[in-house]
Amino acid sequence: MKFFIDTANLDEIREAEALGVLDGVTTNPSLMAKEGIKGKDNVFKHYKAICDIVHGDVSAEVISTDFAGMVREGEELVMIDPKIVVKVPMIKDGVKAIRYFTDHGIKTNCTLVFSAGQAILAAKAGATYVSPFLGRIDDVGGDGLALIEQIVHIYRTHGYATEVLAASIRHVPHLIKCAELGADVATCPLSVIMGLLKHPLTDSGLEKFLADAKKM
Ligand code: G3P
């Protein structure tokens, strides 16, 4: 399973990249706004800065909701860097735009996916990635992991090439379960990636080894 970091914060991206386990980055307008990035020029410069840090795919989201606007934006975004993947919302014109980008050799990430039906449409349109938001489903009393399992099963059964990118991951058990279920990618905050490191027996064991090393 690939690890993407779900942030537009350059320091966090650098820290995850330095760990040597990062395969890419996902952003969205909320994450960009959180970093105080304003205006098209600055937004594009920020995407470039992210691409310069990582070696993998970087999802950059369109903000148009009509087909022509999404195509125009996507074609501009991919000029920033070859690592850019155009993130497109799961709406009618979004599906059409994903088909257009697929036919023109442009990678896409279909976002805001909350059902298996939407995931099937994304795959049929040729999306490179589909992003089911499992945490947000849990937030409203649903079962986000069950959706990941269902999409993985459908994609494997029918041989769809679209990769399942589990998004809106909130904690370590979410991430581990996504790995068990066969998600191709998990995108999560830095805290979740770093959370994988933690075990109290590792800490106490190391403390003992270091104490004993002084007696060697
Ligand atoms: O980038 C999409 C997704 O991961 C958003 O997560 O935490 O805002 O539900 P969250």
Side-chain angles (χ1 to χ4, degrees):
M1 185 172 72
K2 288 185 262 188
F3 278 11
F4 288 2
I5 188 167
D6 197 29
T7 185
N9 183 283
L10 299 181
D11 288 336
E12 291 183 2
I13 295 168
R14 278 188 204 100
E15 190 174 341
E17 177 68 22
L19 192 62
V21 300
L22 193 64
D23 299 297
V25 177
T26 50
T27 65
N28 61 42
S30 305
L31 294 171
M32 293 290 280
K34 194 173 158 193
E35 298 309 311
I37 318 299
K38 285 193 179 118
K40 187 175 167 184
D41 281 359
N42 289 329
V43 166
F44 276 40
K45 276 183 200 154
H46 199 78
Y47 285 138
K48 182 63 184 159
I50 294 173
C51 291
D52 288 345
I53 297 169
V54 296
H55 63 276
D57 286 346
V58 174
S59 288
E61 190 159 339
V62 297
I63 50 175
S64 299
T65 53
D66 63 297
F67 172 77
M70 285 190 236
V71 166
R72 188 180 61 249
E73 270 189 66
E75 287 183 333
E76 285 180 1
L77 286 167
V78 295
M79 297 302 285
I80 297 172
D81 192 283
K83 293 168 192 159
I84 292 287
V85 173
V86 182
K87 204 171 181 186
V88 180
M90 170 40 77
I91 55 176
K92 190 170 162 190
D93 277 29
V95 174
K96 292 181 193 171
I98 289 169
R99 167 51 57 198
Y100 174 90
F101 290 131
T102 304
D103 292 345
H104 289 78
I106 292 172
K107 290 168 110 178
T108 53
N109 176 355
C110 182
T111 190
L112 290 168
V113 167
F114 295 93
S115 75
Q118 292 177 325
I120 291 171
L121 269 182
K124 293 289 289 178
T128 314
Y129 301 105
V130 67
S131 288
F133 280 25
L134 73 98
R136 292 194 194 183
I137 291 175
D138 289 359
D139 289 345
V140 295
D143 185 347
L145 286 166
L147 178 63
I148 301 295
E149 184 172 26
Q150 191 181 18
I151 297 171
V152 168
H153 175 71
I154 291 168
Y155 280 16
R156 301 289 186 274
T157 301
H158 295 281
Y160 292 136
T162 301
E163 293 187 45
V164 180
L165 192 169
S168 188
I169 287 177
R170 299 281 164 73
H171 45 68
V172 167
H174 263 164
L175 181 61
I176 293 171
K177 198 68 196 171
C178 284
E180 276 183 40
L181 294 173
D184 301 286
V185 190
T187 191
C188 51
L190 181 64
S191 58
V192 174
I193 297 175
M194 292 305 178
L196 295 173
L197 282 166
K198 290 181 192 152
H199 198 287
L201 293 178
T202 304
D203 297 339
S204 58
L206 181 61
E207 200 178 322
K208 177 84 168 68
F209 283 155
L210 293 179
D212 289 344
K214 289 182 186 143
K215 303 174 199 160
M216 289 186 333

